[in-house]
Amino acid sequence: QVQVVESGGGLVQAGGSLKLSCAVSGRSASIAVIGWHRQRPGKQRELVATISTSGHTNYADSAKGRFTISRDNAQNTVYLQMINLKPDDTAVYYCNAVSIVFNSWGQGTQVTVSS
């Protein structure tokens, strides 16, 4: 089993920044892609950014220029650096680890951006 745990959320003022962490443990060697998704109030869950084991990244339009996804050297933690946060970024942010045989989600971390 693969466990996914997000951290780093919190309350931040508009224009501020946060760095979210996604720690992956368990049988994670086969992970192909780790992604960050978010669910804003009253909205469907949406993709924010993904990163593959090869380092390829993909961003939603809403994240481009403001959010950066990255990995640590051990490939067991993925980060989402968020800058210039806006109230519309308020959401529960979820980390997702994907392989050919599993799709594991964390429980989410709340990001609240105040005006």
Side-chain angles (χ1 to χ4, degrees):
Q1 297 292 325
V2 172
Q3 292 79 46
V4 179
V5 180
E6 305 96 335
S7 63
L11 176 65
V12 65
Q13 190 176 5
S17 64
L18 284 172
K19 188 174 184 178
L20 307 182
S21 297
C22 172
V24 180
S25 61
R27 299 177 182 178
S28 58
S30 62
I31 293 172
V33 177
I34 294 179
W36 283 99
H37 301 248
R38 70 184 183 185
Q39 188 164 12
R40 295 178 290 166
K43 306 290 185 179
Q44 297 288 333
R45 189 174 297 187
E46 62 185 322
L47 171 72
V48 176
T50 61
I51 187 166
S52 71
T53 55
S54 66
H56 178 77
T57 58
N58 184 51
Y59 295 93
D61 287 342
S62 61
K64 291 178 180 177
R66 298 191 301 124
F67 296 179
T68 302
I69 189 168
S70 62
R71 303 172 299 177
D72 70 1
N73 291 335
Q75 306 290 303
N76 63 349
T77 304
V78 171
Y79 305 97
L80 184 69
Q81 176 67 250
M82 306 186 294
I83 64 170
N84 193 25
L85 285 162
K86 305 173 181 179
D88 194 48
D89 294 318
T90 294
V92 178
Y93 284 74
Y94 297 92
C95 189
N96 164 231
V98 179
S99 79
I100 195 169
V101 296
F102 61 76
N103 186 339
S104 299
W105 292 84
Q107 60 188 344
T109 185
Q110 176 71 47
V111 172
T112 302
V113 184
S114 63
S115 300

